[in-house]
């Protein structure tokens, strides 16, 4: 059948041939106005459909009563009254079930359709009201009265503009309707000249809500009906504009060659609107990704089991996001994926030497590991622990190791970590559960054999949430970490091929079980010569680049760098030195930027204060042996070794009182008491009288009282200081000592030997007194560190006094 919108453009011959009727003609209107209505008219009830005067519409007939009515009326050529039902489900409507207003219509054609249904063409003629029903059999009959339309008395320009606005808006709606309304309707609307016919045509054929159509039909005043129609059409136009805006956003960036992708995007958009379908698509994508994973049979079974749980959940369930997060974590983990190690030992050595000066012991250990990997092809990675003072390059060494091996580099800082879940993850029963840092790091790396730096492992703390240091026992045990269990993942994961490198400043705070699982490598401080090379090769070029200074604009010689190290830094590493070089570069950058002419800044001893100010450190220099009772000792601190002075003085007084000052700890106080008691027991050997101790009060002081001092390595130093004070014999020049002693005079070994030796060299010390048992520690130190030093190995306190005290 031809579309209803084509009727205005067809001639009567066309409509007769094609089986279609045009809008009401003037003859039809005159026929109705000149003919009195019969007493009763057949009543045809319609479901979900409203007719408007002047418009012919096809109507499907299904009820038996309605079929009999239309056949009788068509055969007798009588008019009928058509009313819309209030409730479309009602099968036997009465007057109360029909809307108040209907239309008098004429049946133009009865069509028997191929599917055995019956369709009639109704020509609506005029509006009417039902006064009362006069019969219900064999179909509804009733008395009706016509309702007149109140037309405008004159068509002013305002009314013409209203009709034109309706016509323009209807054309716009048809164009934006995406095929829901045929484009031929535009031609039909433009060719309808009478406003009454135009408005009724639009009301009948546009997609207007049923209740709005009934309201339009029930409006007597035609001008008011036009305004109401314009309001309805305006809302419909705005809705279509919004729809087109959404569609245009979807099409952005899509060209003709991406048509297939565009269709897929539309499907995704529709599915996301529908809700449930997107969930199924996510499940399909996750299963496709799972097929590419190299996991074990048990892991695959666990994944499938959890996937079924996800599919059974509603996407609005609170547990849905947790389950989705868990499955995504399983898919993101690099199960069985390993990066290929680079076994070129020469290249590895070149990279390690390029990035770090010195640290020969550490480099040697890394190259040994590479050599074993090259020969065997696979091995459980050792757990290395680099310990030493800050700023010596422990953390940056890990990056060089990763580069030399060709592996991914990861680093997590354990400083201040106090929750065990940070290592092992949370159980999924908790809100906001997530995997631990180890699993997160593996996901970030994308391989199962990265180089993993565990920074500041000595600064892990504990609280009510557990002790993370003991959670690390499983991670750092090569015999256990092939089945590492993260609480969130809840499946064993193989960490045996991860190269863990832990860093620490001190071993004293690390639990012993954790220490046993690691291979300890001492990364001690640098001597001045090494610092000079590190500064000139690495630190200065980097800081100049960071501050935008070219090599030709700033010159700092090695003698100046040595002066910076001696007078402005006090450390074992080079972190403070790096800050001083950055300070110099900032001042130099200011001068270069302020100058109109290109210039080269040469830093010398004379202008160094201009850039760094007054020297900060000078007290570490050896102060000589001009006073009795003053002895130079060697101490170890977290930032490296340093020298300290122990001073003893006597004043005549009865009682022999011992006074200790200098913020000393319990161990050093005990060492002082022990040294005094030893002197009392061996006073004759030193030529002292027995009553000398009762006649003098003893005061022992260690300078820098604001700095806490404690430890067992000052025993022989305090003894020598007391002996010097009582015997009035000065201490040998350029001599320092370290060691503990017993009450019997046995000299015991101490730790931190390398740091103490570096401190002695910085202070200009020439001779060092040390326990015989520390000889093995000296032999392990490279000769470059020992150059210019003479060692005296002793077993007894008497030997110390004989070496230290002058005649």
């Amino acid at each position: 059948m031809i579309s209803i919108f084509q009727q205005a453009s067809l001639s009567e011959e066309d409509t007769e041939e094609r089986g279609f009727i045009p809008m009401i003609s003037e003859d039809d209107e005159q026929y109705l106005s000149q003919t009195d209505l019969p007493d009763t008219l057949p009543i045809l009830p319609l479901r979900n459909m409203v007719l408007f005067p002047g418009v012919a519409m096809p109507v499907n007939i299904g009820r038996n009563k309605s079929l009999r009515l239309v056949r009788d009326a068509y055969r007798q050529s009588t008019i009928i009254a058509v009313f819309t039902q209030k409730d479309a489900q009602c099968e036997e409507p009465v007057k109360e079930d029909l809307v108040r207003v209907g239309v008098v219509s004429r049946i133009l054609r009865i069509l028997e359709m191929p599917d055995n249904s019956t369709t009639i063409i109704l020509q609506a003629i005029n509006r009417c009201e039902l006064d009362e029903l006069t019969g219900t059999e064999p179909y509804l009959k009733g008395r009706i009265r016509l309702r007149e339309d109140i037309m405008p008395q004159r068509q002013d320009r305002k009314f013409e503009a209203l009709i034109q606005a309706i016509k323009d808006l209807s054309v716009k709606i048809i164009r934006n309707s995406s095929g829901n309304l045929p484009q031929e309707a535009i031609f039909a609307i433009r060719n309808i000249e009478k406003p009454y016919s135009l408005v009724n045509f639009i009301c009948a054929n546009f997609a207007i809500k049923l209740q709005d159509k009934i309201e339009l039909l029930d409006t007597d005043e035609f001008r008011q009906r036009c305004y109401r129609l314009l309001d309805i059409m305006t809302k419909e136009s705005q809705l279509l504009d919004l729809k087109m805006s959404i569609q245009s956003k979807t099409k952005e960036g899509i060209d003709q060659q991406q048509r297939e992708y565009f269709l897929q995007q539309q499907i995704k958009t529709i599915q996301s609107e529908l809700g449930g379908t997107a969930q199924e698509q996510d499940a399909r994508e996750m299963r496709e990704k799972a097929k590419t994973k190299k996991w074990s049979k048990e892991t695959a079974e666990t994944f499938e089991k959890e996937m079924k749980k996800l599919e059974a959940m509603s996407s609005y369930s609170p547990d849905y996001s947790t389950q989705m997060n868990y499955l995504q974590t399983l898919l993101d983990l690099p199960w069985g994926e390993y990066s290929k190690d680079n076994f070129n030992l020469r290249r590895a050595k070149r990279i390690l030497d390029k990035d770090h000066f010195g640290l020969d012991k550490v480099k040697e250990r890394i190259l040994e590991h590479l050599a074993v990997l090259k020969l065997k092809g696979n091995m459980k990675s050792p757990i290395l622990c680099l310990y030493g003072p800050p700023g010596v390059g422990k953390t940056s060494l890990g990056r060089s190791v990763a580069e030399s091996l060709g592996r991914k580099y990861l680093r997590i800082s354990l400083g201040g970590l106090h929750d065990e879940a940070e290592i092992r993850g949370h159980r999924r029963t908790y809100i906001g559960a997530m995997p631990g840092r180890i699993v997160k790091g593996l996901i970030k790396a994308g391989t199962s054999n990265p180089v993993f730096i565990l920074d500041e492992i000595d600064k892990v703390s504990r609280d009510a949430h557990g002790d993370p240091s003991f959670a690390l026992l499983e991670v750092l045990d090569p015999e256990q970490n092939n089945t590492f269990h993260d609480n969130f993942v809840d499946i064993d994961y193989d960490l045996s091929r991860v190269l863990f490198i832990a860093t620490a400043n001190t071993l004293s705070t690390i639990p012993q079980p954790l220490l046993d699982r690691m291979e300890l490598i001492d990364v001690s401080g640098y001597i001045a010569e090494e610092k000079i090379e590190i500064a000139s090769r690495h630190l200065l070029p980097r800081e100049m680049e960071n501050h935008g200074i070219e090599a030709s604009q700033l010159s700092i010689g090695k003698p100046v760098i040595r002066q910076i190290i001696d007078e402005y830094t006090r450390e074992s590493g080079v972190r403070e030195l790096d800050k001083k070089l950055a300070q110099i570069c900032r001042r130099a950058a200011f001068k270069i930027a302020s100058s109109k002419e290109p210039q080269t800044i040469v830093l010398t001893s004379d202008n160094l204060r201009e850039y760094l100010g007054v020297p900060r450190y000078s007290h570490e220099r050896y102060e000589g042996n001009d006073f009795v009772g003053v002895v130079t000792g060697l101490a170890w601190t977290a930032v490296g070794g340093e020298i300290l002075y122990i001073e003893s003085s006597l004043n005549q007084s009865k009682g022999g009182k011992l006074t200790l000052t200098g913020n000393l700890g319990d161990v050093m106080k005990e060492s002082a008491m022990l040294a005094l008691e030893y002197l009392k027991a061996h006073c004759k050997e030193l030529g002292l009288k027995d009553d000398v101790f009762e006649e003098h009060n003893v005061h022992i002081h260690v300078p820098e009282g604001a700095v806490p001092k404690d430890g067992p390595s000052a025993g022989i130093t305090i003894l020598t200081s007391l002996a010097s004070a009582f015997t009035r014999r000065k201490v040998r020049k350029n001599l320092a000592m370290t060691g503990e002693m017993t009450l019997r005079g046995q000299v015991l070994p101490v730790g931190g030997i390398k740091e103490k030796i570096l401190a002695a060299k910085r202070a200009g010390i020439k001779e060092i007194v040390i326990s015989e048992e520390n000889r093995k520690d000296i032999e392990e130190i490279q000769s470059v560190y020992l150059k210019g030093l003479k060692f005296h190995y002793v077993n007894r306190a008497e030997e110390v006094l004989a070496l230290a005290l002058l005649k």
Side-chain angles (χ1 to χ4, degrees):
M1 180 184 290
I2 296 176
S3 168
I4 191 70
F5 291 106
Q6 291 178 317
Q7 56 187 326
S9 62
L10 301 176
S11 64
E12 291 187 8
E13 291 79 5
D14 291 332
T15 55
E16 290 297 332
E17 290 176 3
R18 303 186 189 187
F20 210 77
I21 307 299
M23 296 179 63
I24 187 171
S25 63
E26 293 181 2
D27 294 337
D28 293 321
E29 293 176 353
Q30 292 173 2
Y31 163 78
L32 184 64
S33 61
Q34 293 172 0
T35 305
D36 294 333
L37 290 175
D39 291 338
T40 60
L41 281 180
I43 306 298
L44 177 64
L46 297 181
R47 310 176 200 255
N48 299 324
M49 189 172 183
V50 180
L51 300 182
F52 283 83
V55 182
M57 297 288 288
V59 179
N60 291 326
I61 304 297
R63 286 180 281 204
N64 292 330
K65 284 187 178 182
S66 299
L67 286 170
R68 186 166 182 180
L69 182 153
V70 298
R71 290 194 175 102
D72 289 351
Y74 185 69
R75 186 171 56 252
Q76 298 170 12
S77 298
T78 59
I79 61 175
I80 62 174
V82 180
F83 289 87
T84 303
Q85 292 181 196
K86 295 177 181 177
D87 182 7
Q89 304 299 323
C90 181
E91 292 293 333
E92 297 288 341
V94 294
K95 180 180 178 183
E96 289 74 15
D97 298 321
L98 304 176
V99 299
R100 182 175 65 174
V101 63
V103 288
V104 176
S105 305
R106 187 155 55 97
I107 301 173
L108 302 179
R109 186 75 54 86
I110 297 179
L111 305 172
E112 300 295 339
M113 307 304 290
D115 59 354
N116 295 325
S117 63
T118 300
T119 300
I120 64 172
I121 306 299
L122 278 179
Q123 176 77 58
I125 303 173
N126 207 339
R127 298 184 308 135
C128 64
E129 277 192 27
L130 176 63
D131 286 337
E132 64 174 336
L133 289 177
T134 58
T136 58
E137 296 296 336
Y139 40 77
L140 295 179
K141 295 180 181 179
R143 280 194 289 271
I144 67 164
R145 56 185 174 85
L146 296 178
R147 283 182 60 170
E148 298 295 330
D149 291 294
I150 303 175
M151 303 299 292
Q153 294 181 356
R154 60 185 182 86
Q155 296 185 7
D156 53 11
R157 295 186 63 82
K158 187 175 181 180
F159 180 75
E160 292 177 1
L162 175 62
I163 298 300
Q164 189 61 42
I166 292 174
K167 184 179 290 189
D168 294 342
L169 201 54
S170 63
V171 171
K172 178 183 177 183
I173 290 174
I174 293 171
R175 285 175 173 167
N176 294 343
S177 62
S178 302
N180 295 331
L181 295 172
Q183 297 299 311
E184 295 89 344
I186 297 176
F187 181 79
I189 287 173
R190 286 176 173 169
N191 284 274
I192 299 175
E193 297 180 356
K194 290 187 177 181
Y196 184 79
S197 300
L198 174 68
V199 171
N200 286 346
F201 178 77
I202 294 172
C203 290
N205 290 291
F206 275 51
I208 301 173
K209 293 180 181 178
L210 183 68
Q211 200 59 39
D212 291 335
K213 285 190 175 186
I214 294 172
E215 181 185 347
L216 288 167
L217 185 65
D218 197 20
T219 304
D220 293 333
E221 188 175 350
F222 182 68
R223 187 189 293 268
Q224 189 63 34
R225 188 188 305 171
C226 293
Y227 276 116
R228 178 60 184 148
L229 176 61
L230 183 64
D231 181 51
I232 294 170
M233 292 177 68
T234 301
K235 292 179 180 178
E236 178 68 19
S237 177
Q238 291 173 349
L239 186 63
L240 286 173
D241 289 342
L242 183 60
K243 182 179 177 182
M244 289 187 67
S245 174
I246 294 172
Q247 289 178 343
S248 65
K249 289 180 180 178
T250 307
K251 293 179 181 178
E252 283 182 5
I254 308 298
D255 55 17
Q256 190 63 30
Q257 287 75 22
Q258 295 174 314
R259 183 173 178 274
E260 183 177 350
Y261 175 77
F262 168 66
L263 294 174
Q264 291 175 351
Q265 289 297 110
Q266 280 191 324
I267 292 172
K268 286 183 180 179
T269 305
I270 294 169
Q271 288 175 342
S272 63
E273 292 294 326
L274 295 175
T277 313
Q279 181 180 351
E280 296 173 1
Q281 184 174 353
D282 288 340
R284 283 196 302 271
E285 290 177 356
M286 293 172 79
R287 278 202 167 91
E288 288 296 323
K289 189 174 180 180
K291 292 178 182 179
T292 64
K293 305 304 290 184
K294 301 175 184 177
W295 49 31
S296 64
K297 181 181 178 182
E298 292 77 9
T299 307
E301 290 174 354
T302 302
F303 175 80
E304 185 59 31
K305 178 182 176 183
E306 298 295 333
M307 275 298 303
K308 290 179 180 177
K309 284 185 185 178
L310 180 74
E311 291 169 339
M313 286 182 184
S314 167
S315 58
Y316 301 103
S317 170
D319 295 331
Y320 181 82
S321 60
T322 302
Q323 186 73 2
M324 177 70 87
N325 186 26
Y326 172 71
L327 290 168
Q328 200 61 54
T329 301
L330 287 185
L331 290 172
D332 290 342
L333 272 170
W335 301 88
E337 296 179 12
Y338 302 97
S339 58
K340 188 176 180 181
D341 288 330
N342 190 329
F343 298 124
N344 190 331
L345 299 180
R346 291 184 179 178
R347 173 182 174 274
K349 188 175 188 307
R350 186 169 61 250
I351 291 173
L352 292 172
D353 289 338
K354 175 177 68 73
D355 294 343
H356 293 81
F357 185 84
L359 304 178
D360 296 328
K361 190 175 180 181
V362 184
K363 296 175 184 176
E364 181 182 341
R365 180 63 188 86
I366 299 300
L367 292 174
E368 288 173 359
H369 175 66
L370 263 178
V372 175
L373 279 177
K374 184 175 183 179
L375 294 176
K376 189 178 179 183
N378 183 21
M379 66 173 290
K380 290 183 178 178
S381 293
I383 313 299
L384 306 179
C385 180
L386 309 178
Y387 70 96
V392 295
K394 299 185 298 297
T395 303
S396 59
L397 188 66
R399 185 178 288 105
S400 300
V401 172
E403 184 182 354
S404 63
L405 287 170
R407 293 188 181 187
K408 294 284 187 178
Y409 169 79
L410 292 171
R411 172 188 167 274
I412 60 173
S413 178
L414 302 178
L417 192 73
H418 55 78
D419 190 353
E420 182 184 339
E422 291 285 340
I423 304 297
R424 283 202 177 127
H426 304 82
R427 299 191 183 279
R428 279 185 287 155
T429 52
Y430 295 114
I431 296 174
M434 54 183 161
R437 294 195 185 186
I438 303 295
V439 169
K440 284 182 181 176
L442 292 172
I443 292 174
K444 181 180 179 181
T447 65
S448 293
N449 64 336
V451 173
F452 218 123
I453 305 298
L454 302 175
D455 219 0
E456 311 290 357
I457 197 171
D458 58 322
K459 296 176 180 61
V460 174
S461 57
R462 61 177 301 176
D463 66 358
H465 299 286
D467 192 341
S469 62
F470 291 110
L472 287 168
L473 292 177
E474 183 184 8
V475 177
L476 300 181
D477 191 341
E479 298 299 325
Q480 296 182 31
N481 64 10
N482 59 336
T483 56
F484 172 68
H485 190 87
D486 185 276
N487 290 329
F488 182 82
V489 176
D490 206 21
I491 302 173
D492 290 342
Y493 196 90
D494 185 6
L495 299 179
S496 62
R497 295 177 66 176
V498 178
L499 178 57
F500 287 102
I501 300 179
T503 70
N505 296 132
T506 176
L507 303 180
S508 59
T509 57
I510 303 176
Q512 190 61 40
L514 197 56
L515 279 177
D516 291 341
R517 285 163 168 79
M518 298 187 292
E519 183 176 338
L520 304 178
I521 299 177
D522 183 8
V523 185
S524 54
Y526 300 107
I527 60 175
E529 288 75 12
E530 290 177 329
K531 289 184 179 181
I532 293 170
E533 293 299 325
I534 293 171
S536 58
R537 294 185 189 186
H538 301 285
L539 303 183
L540 185 58
R542 185 181 66 192
E543 291 299 338
M544 290 175 65
E545 181 182 354
N546 292 343
H547 292 81
I549 300 174
E550 297 180 1
S552 60
Q553 294 176 317
L554 177 63
S555 175
I556 304 178
K558 289 185 178 181
V560 179
I561 295 177
R562 175 179 283 276
Q563 186 178 352
I564 296 171
I565 293 169
D566 292 340
E567 298 181 359
Y568 294 91
T569 67
R570 185 184 183 187
E571 59 177 348
S572 293
V574 291
R575 190 167 290 158
E576 188 70 23
L577 176 59
D578 190 28
K579 293 178 183 177
K580 295 302 176 185
L581 293 175
Q583 182 179 344
I584 291 172
C585 289
R586 287 195 300 271
R587 298 282 175 88
F590 176 78
K591 287 193 172 185
I592 294 170
S594 302
S595 175
K596 296 181 180 180
E597 300 292 331
Q599 62 172 316
T600 299
I601 297 176
V602 180
L603 208 65
T604 64
S605 299
D606 298 330
N607 63 0
L608 184 58
R609 287 196 177 196
E610 183 183 345
Y611 291 83
L612 295 179
V614 179
R616 294 180 57 190
Y617 302 109
S618 60
H619 59 270
E620 222 181 66
R621 285 290 173 191
Y622 177 66
E623 296 178 356
N625 63 338
D626 297 332
F627 301 95
V628 295
V630 180
V631 183
T632 306
L634 299 176
W636 179 92
T637 68
V639 295
E642 61 181 43
I643 66 170
L644 76 162
Y645 299 98
I646 294 179
E647 304 172 348
S648 298
S649 66
L650 307 177
N651 58 77
Q652 287 190 344
S653 178
K654 294 293 182 180
K657 181 181 176 183
L658 174 63
T659 304
L660 301 171
T661 56
N663 199 352
L664 305 183
D666 292 338
V667 177
M668 285 193 73
K669 289 178 182 179
E670 291 174 0
S671 295
M673 295 169 61
L674 186 147
L676 185 59
E677 292 301 320
Y678 178 84
L679 279 182
K680 289 179 181 179
H682 297 81
C683 59
K684 292 182 179 180
E685 298 173 14
L686 295 172
L688 299 174
K689 296 180 181 180
D690 293 338
D691 57 354
V692 69
F693 298 100
E694 298 296 331
E695 296 175 352
H696 293 84
N697 287 337
V698 181
H699 186 170
I700 299 176
H701 176 66
V702 182
E704 292 186 80
V707 179
K709 308 170 194 71
D710 199 9
S713 63
I716 63 173
T717 313
I718 296 175
L719 173 65
T720 306
S721 175
L722 288 173
S724 174
F726 277 106
T727 61
R728 314 308 293 172
R729 294 162 62 183
K730 296 181 181 180
V731 178
R732 186 191 298 270
K733 192 175 182 181
N734 295 323
L735 177 75
M737 58 185 67
T738 180
E740 181 59 300
M741 62 171 286
T742 67
L743 194 57
R744 296 177 287 107
Q746 184 72 28
V747 179
L748 303 178
V750 291
I753 297 299
K754 185 177 179 182
E755 285 79 7
K756 293 176 179 179
I757 290 174
L758 293 178
K761 285 179 69 70
R762 287 197 299 267
I765 299 295
K766 304 297 183 184
E767 300 179 56
I768 296 177
V769 179
I770 196 169
S771 171
E772 176 67 38
E773 294 185 39
N774 281 122
R775 186 188 291 268
K776 61 182 182 301
D777 299 311
I778 301 295
E779 291 173 352
E780 290 182 357
I781 300 174
Q782 296 181 27
S783 59
V784 65
Y785 295 98
L786 309 177
K787 187 177 180 181
L789 291 176
K790 181 179 180 181
F791 293 92
H792 300 281
Y793 301 103
V794 296
N795 288 311
R796 302 285 304 169
E798 304 93 273
E799 300 176 46
V800 176
L801 297 178
L803 282 167
L805 299 179
L806 297 175
K807 299 299 181 180

